[in-house]
Amino acid sequence: MREIARRIGRRYSAGHDRPLGGYLASMTGFGAYTAAWATAVRLRGCPVPDRPQPWDVVLTSVATFRLGRLLSKASVTSPLRAPFTRYVGPQGPAELHEEAEPRNCRDTVGELVTCPFCTSVWVVSTLTASQLLWPRATRTAMGALAALVGADALQLTYGALLSRTTGND
């Protein structure tokens, strides 16, 4: 079985280094994580709506965007990523460019924790389940994250306007 998996991995990767085993492990972990949330929701007897409300979708999207970037790119959260990544340099306001540490299974984890798109899958799952278990507290936290997105946009806009009017880049 192991030889079949290696053969498939070699054929698929076409000479590139693709950590399929790590990806499979992360998919398994995500499945277990999602099953744990689903079990918690079921055990608590939380009602699941027939369809999400449009406002909740917007709020969840904005909160997921902000929290995903905060976890995967922010300077302040770099200690969480440091065991799996290596610092490359700054990348945008208060954000870092980091690369996955190419050792053992750290490369897969490093890829996941530095990719805002990958991190957002975990974040949106957490926020969605949290809305079912603790709707008021979760909406409050998501509202704060949405406000942070607005504040970030205002900071960047103000900085651009200031730079444009003063001629300082």
Side-chain angles (χ1 to χ4, degrees):
M1 198 62 148
R2 190 174 288 190
E3 182 54 38
I4 292 171
R6 275 185 227 172
R7 200 169 346 125
I8 290 170
R10 280 193 304 271
R11 189 186 74 225
Y12 170 80
S13 65
H16 298 277
D17 186 24
R18 302 305 307 150
L20 292 181
Y23 293 157
L24 183 59
S26 69
M27 287 174 21
T28 302
F30 182 76
Y33 183 72
T34 304
W37 275 115
T39 301
V41 167
R42 183 178 172 105
L43 289 175
R44 290 263 321 261
C46 300
V48 178
D50 290 333
R51 73 185 118 226
Q53 296 298 312
W55 174 246
D56 283 336
V57 172
V58 171
L59 185 60
T60 304
S61 299
V62 173
T64 298
F65 162 77
R66 188 65 200 108
L67 189 53
R69 288 208 73 85
L70 182 66
L71 292 171
S72 65
K73 293 292 183 187
S75 302
V76 72
T77 56
S78 61
L80 301 175
R81 299 183 304 273
F84 310 102
T85 62
R86 115 183 121 72
Y87 174 78
V88 175
Q91 179 183 341
E95 290 191 345
L96 303 177
H97 177 181
E98 298 164 321
E99 291 182 352
E101 188 67 46
R103 295 189 318 232
N104 303 330
C105 70
R106 293 180 186 207
D107 55 349
T108 303
V109 176
E111 276 188 55
L112 288 172
V113 299
T114 59
C115 170
F117 299 98
C118 304
T119 303
S120 290
V121 173
W122 293 77
V123 169
V124 77
S125 299
T126 303
L127 292 176
T128 300
S130 295
Q131 284 182 76
L132 296 172
L133 293 168
W134 311 285
R136 291 176 67 179
T138 303
R139 282 194 184 92
T140 300
M142 290 192 313
L145 288 164
L148 186 55
V149 169
D152 290 347
L154 290 171
Q155 294 288 359
L156 292 170
T157 302
Y158 179 79
L161 288 172
L162 189 63
S163 178
R164 188 178 205 183
T165 58
T166 62
N168 297 335
D169 287 334

